Amino acid sequence: MKFILKLHPEISIKSDSVRRRFTKILESNVRNIFKPYEFKVAVWNKWDKLVMEARTETPEQAALVVDQLKRIPGIEQCLQVRQSEYQDLDDIYQQVKAVWHDKLAGKSFAVRVKRRGKHEFSSVDVARYVGGGLNQHCETGGVNLSKPDVMIELEIDKEHLLIIDDRFKCLGGMPLPTQEDVVSLISGGFDSGVASYQMIRRGARTHYCFFNLGGREHEIGVKQVACYLWKQYSTSHRVKFIAVDFEPVVAQILERVDNGLMGVVLKRMMMRAASIVADNLDISTLVTGEALGQVSSQTLSNLAVIDRATEKLVLRPLICWDKSDIISLARQIGTEDFAKGMPEYCGVISKKPTVRAILSEVEEQEAKLDADLVDRVVKASNVLDIRRMAQETEAEVPQVQTSDALPQGAVVLDIRSPEEEEDNPLTVDGHEVKTLPFFRLASQFGDLDQSQEYYLYCARGVMSRMQALLLHEQGYQNVKVYRP
């Protein structure tokens, strides 16, 4: 399989030296990403594009290559091509006919040609000659230049003919790490996952800082999100995952801080802790998933006060996004199921949270906390290499048995949201199906008949596997995952 990897347009308009550097980085990334695979991959840098050949042996390997190419930052689109040399216009026609003859039966078509180099013919000459020959010698539905059933795309690059078999959209953005590293404050919800993805796509190697407010189950869930983002979009580079136990901070805030300022103080403590984490990694920038006005701590006044807790640059890629748009992108990139299954750990909940915090009043409340509190929790934090963490997380999660066949008497527990369940009800022949949304599972699973065996079901299997693991942590061993 041979591919032409087209650069993101913003790379193409940069100066020659920057473009050369970005393209070399992208070439290296492609090599690194495919290095662990069983099949061999060769990559050639052609200045305005990359050419890649994958020596795959099975359809599964071929599909894997396409899927991986779609997720590499810096590649705008990929062309799957057949490359050969040619003699003249008639030779080009004969080669195209050999590929497309059987695919044009009864279908209208058009021929599009791009040409590079000096030739005795123009792109229009090639399109007319090839199109006329195919229309005359194949049983087509005729030429249709405006809305053809089939588009035949050719590229002539000097002495080479490229017949394009397929064209698919890729991630775009900038290659990793053409921008400086960042530390993303990740909670496992919709916002922080999408914000982290946005930074990866723009070429910033993204490390993860997690403030644990919910114990071991919370940490396992967030690790899964971070590992997923890394595996999907940034395996070309190592990153760090820093887990900070923030329960001691929350405890002091609940005991000593005025109720209305608890949320702002908690966010400022997180910023201070994240700044120390970033200093330890020699990083100057923090990333959050905050969106303007989404909650009380995210008003302009409160964000200004929160930012005064750090000298780091704080980036908020989602600051003007609607929640529906954030959820839509989470669904597109694959983090939606994680986020839906992640319990809310607010840490502190103010009865009447302020929306216009005053810095002097906030600092007065913070003075009630131990002066070395943030330093202590960061010093005790767990710093993990994400490659090793991914292996450990995979070792933890497969403890949950997954099956596509159900034993007699097993009950299927549909944990999808009520909207999903109503749109596409689940029926399983010979088995009872109960509905219990994921957000009620932890509190209501114990009310079910524990003498029965339960198989959790969700659309992709991600949320059901996570929820089954959490139930195992709570002592329920009669839970497995159903993947039909």
Side-chain angles (χ1 to χ4, degrees):
M1 301 174 67
K2 182 163 284 189
F3 299 90
I4 295 176
L5 314 182
K6 299 282 190 177
L7 307 178
H8 184 60
E10 290 182 35
I11 300 174
S12 301
I13 62 175
K14 294 191 179 297
S15 66
D16 287 355
S17 60
V18 173
R19 182 173 175 175
R20 187 177 298 109
R21 179 169 63 87
F22 278 30
T23 308
K24 281 180 132 181
I25 291 172
L26 180 57
E27 177 189 359
S28 176
N29 290 351
V30 173
R31 295 182 192 277
N32 288 340
I33 287 170
F34 283 102
K35 192 178 294 182
Y37 292 95
E38 296 177 357
F39 50 85
K40 300 294 184 182
V41 167
V43 185
W44 296 272
N45 191 333
K46 299 295 184 179
W47 169 243
D48 63 337
K49 61 180 177 287
L50 299 181
V51 176
M52 188 187 97
E53 183 175 347
R55 301 179 179 94
T56 56
E57 298 177 356
T58 65
E60 291 75 19
Q61 289 181 343
L64 189 151
V65 170
V66 171
D67 179 62
Q68 182 65 75
L69 287 173
K70 289 179 179 179
R71 296 184 277 106
I72 300 176
I75 302 175
E76 182 69 17
Q77 62 174 314
C78 286
L79 310 181
Q80 187 174 340
V81 303
R82 303 167 190 246
Q83 180 173 309
S84 61
E85 296 185 353
Y86 65 92
Q87 300 298 320
D88 50 28
L89 277 178
D90 190 65
D91 189 21
I92 293 174
Y93 158 67
Q94 295 296 341
Q95 292 190 46
V96 174
K97 180 185 175 185
V99 173
W100 283 98
H101 180 276
D102 296 335
K103 303 175 184 177
L104 295 177
K107 296 181 179 179
S108 63
F109 74 99
V111 179
R112 297 283 186 267
V113 181
K114 290 184 179 180
R115 188 175 57 86
R116 181 180 179 183
K118 294 183 178 181
H119 304 89
E120 296 179 353
F121 48 78
S122 67
S123 299
V124 175
D125 293 335
V126 178
R128 286 174 176 169
Y129 191 96
V130 173
L134 293 175
N135 196 40
Q136 183 176 355
H137 298 288
C138 301
E139 297 180 358
T140 74
V143 175
N144 185 333
L145 298 180
S146 57
K147 294 183 178 179
D149 297 326
V150 176
M151 179 67 70
I152 299 174
E153 297 181 87
L154 312 176
E155 289 194 11
I156 298 172
D157 190 351
K158 299 176 183 176
E159 71 276 8
H160 292 114
L161 168 66
L162 303 175
I163 302 176
I164 299 172
D165 286 336
D166 197 8
R167 179 192 296 268
F168 46 90
K169 185 80 170 64
C170 297
L171 191 62
M174 301 293 186
L176 285 167
T178 51
Q179 310 303 314
E180 295 178 44
D181 289 13
V182 300
V183 172
S184 178
L185 282 61
I186 189 166
S187 66
F190 290 102
D191 304 337
S192 61
V194 172
S196 300
Y197 161 80
Q198 294 282 42
M199 297 307 301
I200 293 170
R201 186 180 175 275
R202 292 303 296 180
R205 178 159 54 179
T206 302
H207 305 267
Y208 302 97
C209 182
F210 162 59
F211 296 108
N212 192 342
L213 307 176
R216 175 173 163 76
E217 290 84 0
H218 190 195
E219 183 166 334
I220 290 174
V222 177
K223 280 181 176 179
Q224 285 184 289
V225 178
C227 286
Y228 175 85
L229 287 168
W230 174 74
K231 284 183 177 180
Q232 290 291 106
Y233 305 108
S234 58
T235 53
S236 56
H237 291 81
R238 293 178 179 270
V239 301
K240 300 292 186 184
F241 181 94
I242 300 91
V244 184
D245 181 5
F246 231 55
E247 288 187 355
V249 179
V250 171
Q252 287 202 17
I253 291 175
L254 290 172
E255 291 173 0
R256 307 179 187 182
V257 173
D258 286 352
N259 189 278
L261 292 175
M262 284 180 176
V264 173
V265 171
L266 176 63
K267 289 294 182 70
R268 280 172 58 88
M269 294 299 103
M270 288 180 173
M271 284 294 179
R272 285 204 179 97
S275 297
I276 299 172
V277 168
D279 282 339
N280 293 338
L281 298 176
D282 195 24
I283 293 173
S284 63
T285 305
L286 306 178
V287 177
T288 79
E290 292 162 315
L292 185 61
Q294 192 174 110
V295 295
S296 60
S297 65
Q298 295 174 20
T299 63
L300 284 175
S301 296
N302 287 351
L303 289 174
V305 170
I306 291 168
D307 281 1
R308 296 286 292 274
T310 177
E311 294 182 356
K312 301 290 183 185
L313 171 64
V314 181
L315 296 181
R316 296 181 171 92
L318 311 182
I319 192 65
C320 291
W321 283 45
D322 293 334
K323 191 69 175 185
S324 59
D325 294 330
I326 296 171
I327 293 174
S328 177
L329 184 53
R331 183 179 303 120
Q332 179 183 326
I333 66 177
T335 60
E336 180 191 27
D337 284 344
F338 293 105
K340 286 197 302 186
M342 194 71 62
E344 289 288 340
Y345 297 104
C346 300
V348 297
I349 302 177
S350 300
K351 293 180 181 178
K352 292 184 178 180
T354 182
V355 295
R356 290 178 178 270
I358 298 172
L359 180 60
S360 59
E361 294 178 358
V362 172
E363 291 176 336
E364 182 180 338
Q365 294 297 312
E366 289 175 349
K368 300 176 182 179
L369 307 178
D370 291 350
D372 64 343
L373 179 59
V374 170
D375 290 323
R376 288 204 316 263
V377 295
V378 173
K379 188 174 181 179
S381 63
N382 193 11
V383 182
L384 300 170
D385 181 280
I386 203 158
R387 295 191 185 192
R388 181 175 177 180
M389 188 183 82
Q391 295 171 352
E392 293 174 351
T393 303
E394 285 295 321
E396 286 180 301
V397 175
Q399 295 172 14
V400 179
Q401 182 179 334
T402 301
S403 177
D404 59 358
L406 298 171
Q408 187 174 2
V411 177
V412 177
L413 209 55
D414 187 344
I415 67 169
R416 294 175 297 170
S417 65
E419 294 80 10
E420 288 181 283
E421 192 275 326
E422 288 175 10
D423 290 342
N424 188 20
L426 176 67
T427 57
V428 182
D429 291 342
H431 292 275
E432 180 184 3
V433 177
K434 290 180 178 289
T435 59
L436 184 58
F438 64 91
F439 49 82
R440 294 187 183 139
L441 197 60
S443 60
Q444 297 185 13
F445 184 81
D447 298 334
L448 300 176
D449 181 358
Q450 296 304 310
S451 66
Q452 291 186 304
E453 196 171 31
Y454 295 95
Y455 283 74
L456 306 189
Y457 171 80
C458 70
R460 296 186 183 180
V462 175
M463 184 163 52
S464 55
R465 193 167 61 165
M466 180 189 299
Q467 293 296 325
L469 178 62
L470 297 179
L471 289 173
H472 279 200
E473 291 283 331
Q474 295 172 20
Y476 298 106
Q477 299 303 315
N478 57 334
V479 183
K480 298 179 175 64
V481 172
Y482 177 48
R483 291 292 294 154

